[in-house]
Amino acid sequence: MSAVEKMTPAEARLARVTLPEGFGPQRRAALERLTAMGLPGRRDEYWRWTNPTDFIAPEPVAAAPFKDDEPELFGEIDRLKVVFRDGVFDAEASDDLSMSGVEILRLAEAGDVNWASALYGTLEANGQKPVVRPFAALNTASATDGVLIRVTGKAEKPVSLIYTHESETSDPILHHLVKLEEGAEITVLENGPAGARFNKLMEVDVAKGARFHHIRVQGRDHERRAVTGIFARVADEALFKSFTLTSNGVLTRNECVIDIVGDDANAHVAGAALGDGKSGAFHHDDTIFITHDAERCESRQVFKKVLKNGAQGVFQGKILVKPGAQKTDGYQISQSLLLDEDSQFLAKPELEIYADDVQCSHGSTTGAIDETALFYLRSRGVPVEEATALLVLSFVADAIEEIEEERFRDAILTRLEGWLSRHRG
Amino acid sequence: MLEIKNLHVKLEEEDKQILKGVNLTVEAGKVHAIMGPNGSGKSTLSYVLSGRDGYEVTEGEAELDGMDLLEAEPEERAAAGLFLAFQYPVEIPGVGNMTFLRTALNAQRKARGEEEISAGDFLKLVREKAKSLKIDADMLKRAVNVGFSGGEKKRNEILQMALLEPKMCILDETDSGLDVDAMRLVAEGVNALRDEKRSFLVITHYQRLLDHIKPDVVHIMADGRIIETGGPELALEVEKNGYAELLAKHGISEVMA
């Protein structure tokens, strides 16, 4: 037997890692981290409920490109579009990347820009403790493209990252950097089917008093397999807010690792996932880790999953309050609405607190549609399917409320209503 | 209008008979009141008529203008003109009251083959109906019944009734949890809707609501049946003497009732 045949899939995957140009030292360090930790197996504590096999396989499972028939998401919103086609920056489809108060560069062409060199892989490396995140290290080592955004003032409009998927076997690895200087503010939007298999990382550095808003839609490209990571550092009086709407998807793992390092800061991460196992599998995993390492900070995790026809939802959320992080206000809620008895929600809420003057709470619930509320709506003449849809909207409302601006909330609600109308009964 | 014959109902999951042969006819334009002690089956009757799950009809029938109510889905009964004002209106967080009201109105219009109401016309209609019930813009904007006081919830029920214009209205203990002023407001709302085509079935434990909503006919319900029927004076008699005497007359022990 040849050496290749003796390798495990994980070893074979590692052997295939190539380091693209640019950020050489950072990529080599990431590869070293990755080699030391190895790729995960089912025995790893944080992969017990989500099977990493498809992320590890040398080749992605082919996925038919998805053509969206809905009105363009965020179409009504004035934004700067940055388009990636099968993981490659598409200059023609993108807008001119200049905007006042914001510097936007393409990862593949950035070479070694000072601010980017200092950030690239740094937050990912910090986030490898105490729990390893091998696909994030893999990303830092081998990402081929992405966007580097440095915000020095209040961005005049949102930056909208749009992914398109054309090749059945596309396997993009994208790495984005967002650096907000003191007092800066930006909204980053993300949507679109990115590829058959998608590994995406976003490192977000939020300086003192800066405000970062992120609204992401993982769309209807049902056959995709996606593993994503957000690694953020939040300084004094800064705000970090991220919301994700996921509808369908065979396999999606979204990790979010946030370090609150400055006093009086806020970090909110929220998500609504809608899964229908009818057209194959649906498996969606939110794995969150928020570390409080400063005083008087607030964090919120609000996650809602609506599951039917054998869909599976996973939530693993942790709040770590370090010694001295007094007056921490940490809140975490994860809830699932099971629309039938075949679906499943697995939750692992964790709190670890080393400061004595803190206020932290977490809750996790699983339930069916409230029959009393359903009857109330039907008794007013609302047909059962429409009534169910209204109650689903009611269920996810808390997560949607985490989006600050109404125009984005409305865009998300429209998508939600679209999904509900396609997945009745 | 509403015709109930020999209605027998048991709980679906328990071997417990709740209604044991209810006979009741409510004519168009009339207000009938049903009074009775706790556990007599009053609320069950309202739920069975409007189609709530959990009950099994073992015998008898109920018709609304010739339509078999018991076979129809709750939304079909609503579209046919039946309305139940809940004793405990349900809170629905995250769904705006206006959205709810408009969805309900349009669903009923659609079911009847009518055109949906435009946003503008709807807004005008709601404002007009809300004003007389002293329902302010804030209550319309908030999520359905969330953070509403007891009185606000009941007024919101009457607002739905006013918008949906049902022909048969059932009020289930609408007076419960209301102070005198709130009750007067609710009663005024109901009285404003009275006309020769619309009927009401007012279920109440106490006579006091009937001071404000004057009934044409009063029924006393006990042990799953209507044991006595009379005019408004029957309610006054109950108010004065309690149910004990009536129950004894019909051989029903108070424990059973």
Side-chain angles (χ1 to χ4, degrees), chain A residues 29-94:
Chain A
L31 182 57
E32 271 174 39
R33 283 197 291 281
L34 176 62
T35 311
M37 66 182 82
L39 285 164
R42 290 306 289 275
R43 276 192 296 272
D44 286 281
E45 192 188 347
Y46 286 92
W47 288 94
R48 275 194 305 148
W49 291 333
T50 296
N51 188 346
T53 305
D54 287 348
F55 297 137
I56 292 169
E59 299 295 333
V61 180
F66 176 80
K67 294 283 172 245
D68 201 338
D69 52 0
E70 284 177 284
E72 190 184 355
L73 184 64
F74 306 127
E76 312 271 296
I77 291 166
D78 183 26
R79 64 213 156 117
L80 189 148
K81 289 192 239 179
V82 182
V83 181
F84 293 89
R85 184 196 303 251
D86 284 323
V88 181
F89 174 72
D90 183 340
E92 213 160 282
S94 301

Side-chain angles (χ1 to χ4, degrees), chain A residues 47 55 135-136 139 197-201 218 225-229 251-255:
Chain A
W47 288 94
F55 297 137
F135 295 109
N139 182 300
R197 181 167 68 180
F198 187 32
N199 180 333
K200 194 213 64 192
L201 201 67
Q218 293 172 315
R225 282 146 175 92
V227 56
T228 77
L251 178 62
T252 308
R253 161 97 159 201
N254 293 330
E255 298 199 12

